[in-house]
Amino acid sequence: MDIEQKQEEIIDHFVKQASSLEGSALGSLVVEATSHPSLFAFSEILAVPNVLQLEGTETSVHLDVLRLFSQGTWSDYKSDASRLPQLVPDQVLKLKQLTVLTLAETNKVLPYDQLMQELDVINVRELEDFLINECMYAGIVRGKLDQLRKCFEQVQFAAGRDPRPGQLGSMIHTLSNWLDTSNNLLITIQEKMKWADTMTELAKEHKKEVEDRVEEVKKSSSHKKFHTVSRPTLTSGGTRRFTPNLVE
């Protein structure tokens, strides 16, 4: 079961829990959800009416934390840390994983320098351990570590995050372009198939014509009659010699 499938049951579990809690009681739920090792999408939990009702209340900070994990990064947390509650270690790990996913959305090559800055990692060894143990082994991203070029490259897969405001239009545009390209490719394939069918029929017709002509030649040859005629020829001694020849 891949990371996307695992999340469905987990999300359903937290949505049901959130629907039965109110106010400050949702705080522990938010910590549990944002610490869960297999949960990387939070929009469904954010959409629960009980959670949305935290807006403007004394406990609205729990809603802010959930929004941070839904769409934010580790850098976003650092810039707003004075207003947000201190994260537990599992939350820190999760937010850094989510940061890698955000960076991998638009870049197939992630330089070590950029990753170390975004993740607050002090050395290459620590960064590579994090990418291997907490990202690739966790199944949230696939790629290759290039120690020579000092980058995480060939990012082939990254688990999807909740779409950010304004991102939906870009996604629709990308999917529309993909659909247009697919339709054009399908038309090209259909034209090639039609051309191949036409050439096949022409080849069959040509083969039939050749076979018919061969048959006609065979029939014509079988109807011709030959007889032998002896024609005299002179030898070097002046004597005559008769040579038989086939004529129709």
Side-chain angles (χ1 to χ4, degrees):
M1 183 181 294
D2 61 28
I3 191 66
E4 306 289 350
Q5 292 176 316
K6 287 180 181 178
Q7 291 194 92
E8 294 182 9
E9 295 182 0
I10 301 169
I11 291 172
D12 185 59
H13 166 73
F14 282 113
V15 166
K16 289 179 179 178
Q17 278 197 320
S19 299
S20 64
L21 300 174
E22 293 182 356
S24 60
L26 287 165
S28 59
L29 174 73
V30 170
V31 173
E32 183 184 356
T34 54
S35 300
H36 197 287
S38 298
L39 185 59
F40 296 89
F42 305 90
S43 60
E44 288 90 342
I45 304 174
L46 275 167
V48 175
N50 289 7
V51 175
L52 292 174
Q53 287 175 4
L54 294 175
E55 188 77 66
T57 69
E58 294 180 354
T59 54
S60 63
V61 67
H62 301 309
L63 179 60
D64 295 334
V65 170
L66 200 54
R67 285 171 174 165
L68 170 69
F69 278 78
S70 175
Q71 301 175 346
T73 64
W74 177 247
S75 295
D76 294 329
Y77 171 73
K78 289 192 301 178
S79 65
D80 209 13
S82 60
R83 191 182 62 84
L84 297 172
Q86 184 175 355
L87 301 181
V88 301
D90 286 342
Q91 285 179 303
V92 173
L93 171 61
K94 174 55 59 65
L95 192 53
K96 289 186 175 183
Q97 289 175 315
L98 292 169
T99 299
V100 172
L101 295 184
T102 295
L103 295 172
E105 285 178 358
T106 55
N107 299 285
K108 296 300 182 184
V109 178
L110 303 175
Y112 279 4
D113 289 342
Q114 180 187 12
L115 288 168
M116 291 171 66
Q117 180 180 355
E118 293 289 338
L119 301 173
D120 267 349
V121 176
I122 59 176
N123 58 64
V124 172
R125 176 62 182 273
E126 183 181 353
L127 173 64
E128 291 183 336
D129 286 347
F130 175 79
L131 292 173
I132 293 171
N133 298 324
E134 307 299 346
C135 294
M136 288 192 282
Y137 283 175
I140 63 174
V141 67
R142 289 195 295 267
K144 176 183 177 183
L145 299 179
D146 191 329
Q147 295 178 324
L148 183 62
R149 295 174 56 201
K150 294 187 182 302
C151 64
F152 182 43
E153 64 176 6
Q154 296 179 356
V155 180
Q156 303 167 349
F157 165 82
R161 294 194 64 182
D162 297 323
R164 296 180 294 279
Q167 192 178 28
L168 186 58
S170 176
M171 293 172 63
I172 293 175
H173 178 70
T174 300
L175 290 173
S176 296
N177 288 339
W178 175 84
L179 181 60
D180 290 340
T181 301
S182 299
N183 287 335
N184 290 335
L185 180 60
L186 179 60
I187 292 173
T188 301
I189 292 174
Q190 290 173 338
E191 290 177 347
K192 292 291 185 181
M193 291 176 63
K194 184 178 179 180
W195 175 84
D197 290 341
T198 301
M199 295 304 295
T200 299
E201 289 300 320
L202 290 175
K204 289 180 179 179
E205 292 177 3
H206 178 69
K207 180 181 179 182
K208 182 68 168 51
E209 291 177 359
V210 172
E211 290 174 347
D212 290 345
R213 291 180 61 186
V214 170
E215 191 64 28
E216 289 178 2
V217 171
K218 288 181 177 179
K219 290 180 178 179
S220 176
S221 299
S222 63
H223 291 151
K224 290 181 179 180
K225 296 181 179 180
F226 296 89
H227 62 273
T228 303
V229 176
S230 296
R231 290 192 173 91
T233 56
L234 292 176
T235 64
S236 57
T239 60
R240 289 186 178 181
R241 185 178 63 187
F242 291 90
T243 304
N245 289 297
L246 291 177
V247 297
E248 295 183 27

